[in-house]
Amino acid sequence: MEFVQPIRSLKHIETIKRLLKQQNLRDYCLFTVGINSGLRISDLLTLTINDVIEKGKIKDRIRLREMKTNKFKDFPLSDNAKSAIKEYLKTREYKPNEPLFISRKNKGFLLRQQAYKIINDTAKSIGIKEKIGTHTLRKTFGYHAYNNGYDITLIQKLFNHSTPAITLRYIGITQDELDNVYLSLDL
């Protein structure tokens, strides 16, 4: 597996969202929920309608069992994620146990390879040079949480990492960014 990067630029994130929204609301929803939840792609792609809808309304929270860790994860949906889900589901008919992100070919769950192609192709189309993949969504969530001032140990806990150092490396905090702490303080 290649080491992929987060999308660091908010402008790039907004451009990707705009492009995906124009092309395919499923893909826009996948991207938006992914960067706002920090879920692993294996958990994101296996979400069902029941996971996000209750009594015809978008849920405020998602509760699931993580595939990798087998631990329960319970988290609130952001307004952007809820809005993307609502907009996407207006475009399709669905039953409660169906996949949220449905494959157009076989009507089953969207495959990881297809999700990779969607994310990677869109990122490349707007000029992003770093390696981008499905894990980019999760890393983007962590990177921006960190840059918005959330404590690294909190992000570590959200990601179930064993140390803050692993989380910093995982979200792509570079030596230049660490050096900037020294240079910008200049007390």
Side-chain angles (χ1 to χ4, degrees):
M1 183 182 291
E2 282 189 79
F3 189 79
V4 299
Q5 296 297 320
I7 300 170
R8 291 175 174 84
S9 163
L10 291 173
K11 186 176 178 182
H12 281 154
I13 290 171
E14 289 307 315
T15 302
I16 289 172
K17 285 168 66 174
R18 185 177 37 79
L19 279 174
L20 289 174
K21 193 171 189 177
Q22 291 169 355
Q23 296 167 6
N24 186 307
L25 284 175
R26 179 204 61 194
D27 300 346
Y28 164 72
C29 184
L30 174 74
F31 182 80
T32 303
V33 173
I35 65 171
N36 283 286
S37 67
L39 288 175
R40 289 181 184 87
I41 194 67
S42 56
D43 296 319
L44 185 61
L45 292 178
T46 56
L47 288 174
T48 65
I49 298 297
N50 278 336
D51 291 325
V52 298
I53 298 277
E54 188 171 56
K55 298 176 184 169
K57 185 177 177 272
I58 306 294
K59 291 181 178 181
D60 290 326
R61 303 182 72 81
I62 290 180
R63 180 170 165 80
L64 56 85
R65 185 180 291 271
E66 292 180 322
M67 293 179 83
K68 183 175 180 177
T69 65
N70 207 31
K71 294 179 182 176
F72 277 104
K73 186 167 187 79
D74 183 328
F75 62 95
L77 281 170
S78 71
D79 290 339
N80 282 337
K82 286 197 271 191
S83 176
I85 293 167
K86 185 176 183 178
E87 199 169 350
Y88 163 52
L89 290 179
K90 283 182 186 176
T91 68
R92 64 173 269 217
E93 293 180 16
Y94 53 85
K95 294 179 183 150
N97 290 322
E98 284 183 349
L100 176 59
F101 303 111
I102 198 164
S103 167
R104 288 185 295 241
K105 286 185 181 176
N106 65 15
K107 303 296 183 205
F109 289 97
L110 183 68
L111 299 176
R112 182 186 193 108
Q113 295 85 345
Q114 188 59 32
Y116 169 83
K117 184 170 175 31
I118 292 162
I119 296 161
N120 193 57
D121 289 355
T122 306
K124 297 300 178 210
S125 78
I126 67 163
I128 294 177
K129 304 272 189 256
E130 294 89 3
K131 292 190 184 305
I132 300 294
T134 53
H135 236 48
T136 292
L137 303 179
R138 181 171 160 90
K139 290 182 176 198
T140 298
F141 170 83
Y143 179 84
H144 287 281
Y146 180 74
N147 279 339
N148 278 301
Y150 290 97
D151 188 273
I152 194 63
T153 56
L154 192 60
I155 301 165
Q156 170 196 345
K157 183 170 174 52
L158 289 171
F159 282 167
N160 283 317
H161 287 164
S162 57
T163 68
I166 289 171
T167 304
L168 284 169
R169 189 172 62 247
Y170 179 82
I171 62 176
I173 301 302
T174 64
Q175 188 61 51
D176 288 346
E177 290 167 304
L178 296 174
D179 289 350
N180 192 41
V181 173
Y182 292 101
L183 298 173
S184 65
L185 278 178
D186 200 21
L187 302 172

